[in-house]
Amino acid sequence: EPEVTQTPSHQVTQMGQEVILRCVPISNHLYFYWYRQILGQKVEFLVSFYNNEISEKSEIFDDQFSVERPDGSNFTLKIRSTKLEDSAMYFCASSEKNTGELFFGEGSRLTVL
Amino acid sequence: GQNIDQPTEMTATEGAIVQINCTYQTSGFNGLFWYQQHAGEAPTFLSYNVLDGLEEKGRFSSFLSRSKGYSYLLLKELQMKDSASYLCAVEGNTGFQKLVFGTGTRLLVSP
């Protein structure tokens, strides 16, 4: 069964460092998303991406965050200068259409020290 | 604003039936998802309701009433592996899947 894959599974970084989280969405999917979940809290929407541009973003997704689809398969989330409060599990998700089933990856756990 | 309410925790015994409720008040509504999430893992899709009524899929069923802002997830013939968090999420009507999640209901199934 096709799946969304994410790397790394866990990253530890120092405050102020740049981090890139990588995702390979399901191959025929056109809509890509990043969500995050701080430990013990709810899953929160960060950004949606379609047709090589951001279609919607939340208040969390400030200037420190960016997304990119550098080639036909990868979808990345960059945090330019990490803060302690960026520590969370980051989930990539993709879907074939702009509605219906949304497939999540296994997540990348980011720990900022 | 967006508000999604579901119970924090529920317990049930193996073989039983459990119903997890979700009420929502959101500024836009296109559909409602239920996801299962085991600790430290990704949410796994269970169901998606757009129209009022009951959708059945094996041991799991999901119900939606748009006029009441209410949904429930029904789990039958509970198994130990069903112990997990169950997340209710509302899909807005912006044209993209900006899901608003509830805090989740932690279900503990005991022997």
Side-chain angles (χ1 to χ4, degrees):
Chain A
E1 188 174 328
E3 58 182 14
V4 177
T5 57
Q6 291 184 241
T7 54
S9 55
H10 190 190
Q11 179 152 1
V12 181
T13 190
Q14 294 290 326
M15 193 167 56
Q17 294 296 304
E18 176 183 283
V19 158
I20 297 176
L21 305 179
R22 292 181 167 79
C23 169
V24 179
I26 295 173
S27 61
N28 65 330
H29 285 187
L30 301 175
Y31 299 84
F32 314 117
Y33 306 84
W34 284 100
Y35 284 78
R36 80 170 186 190
Q37 187 175 31
I38 295 171
L39 188 64
Q41 298 187 24
K42 61 178 74 173
V43 177
E44 301 173 289
F45 170 83
L46 291 179
V47 66
S48 59
F49 191 87
Y50 170 71
N51 201 26
N52 280 320
E53 60 183 20
I54 290 173
S55 43
E56 193 167 1
K57 59 184 181 179
S58 71
E59 315 79 59
I60 303 167
F61 195 90
D62 61 23
D63 292 344
Q64 293 301 311
F65 289 86
S66 63
V67 289
E68 195 178 30
R69 188 153 163 84
D71 53 46
S73 58
N74 290 284
F75 179 52
T76 61
L77 174 70
K78 182 193 290 186
I79 309 174
R80 263 180 269 283
S81 177
T82 50
K83 303 188 285 285
L84 295 176
E85 53 265 37
D86 293 328
S87 294
M89 182 76 94
Y90 289 80
F91 292 108
C92 175
S94 71
S95 61
E96 192 176 354
K97 298 179 282 190
N98 65 346
T99 187
E101 187 168 353
L102 185 61
F103 293 82
F104 283 83
E106 290 296 315
S108 293
R109 180 170 297 284
L110 176 64
T111 302
V112 182
L113 302 176
Chain B
Q2 318 270 41
N3 194 37
I4 298 173
D5 288 315
Q6 45 181 137
T8 306
E9 273 191 11
M10 298 182 71
T11 58
T13 52
E14 211 172 1
I17 299 173
V18 72
Q19 177 174 314
I20 302 174
N21 296 323
C22 172
T23 57
Y24 62 89
Q25 301 93 37
T26 57
S27 53
F29 182 87
N30 193 56
L32 188 142
F33 289 83
W34 283 97
Y35 280 88
Q36 180 192 63
Q37 187 179 31
H38 286 97
E41 297 184 11
T44 304
F45 173 84
L46 292 177
S47 67
Y48 175 57
N49 292 67
V50 175
L51 302 176
D52 286 0
L54 186 68
E55 299 256 351
E56 296 186 73
K57 191 188 291 187
R59 293 189 300 116
F60 294 0
S61 303
S62 57
F63 172 83
L64 176 67
S65 168
R66 294 175 69 123
S67 61
K68 294 181 180 175
Y70 169 67
S71 173
Y72 67 74
L73 179 69
L74 192 71
L75 294 80
K76 303 176 188 173
E77 300 168 21
L78 281 173
Q79 303 173 8
M80 298 293 288
K81 67 178 182 179
D82 296 329
S83 293
S85 286
Y86 290 86
L87 314 181
C88 173
V90 168
E91 179 187 34
N93 56 3
T94 61
F96 297 93
Q97 287 174 299
K98 178 184 176 182
L99 300 188
V100 178
F101 282 83
T103 52
T105 299
R106 192 178 309 129
L107 175 66
L108 177 63
V109 180
S110 55

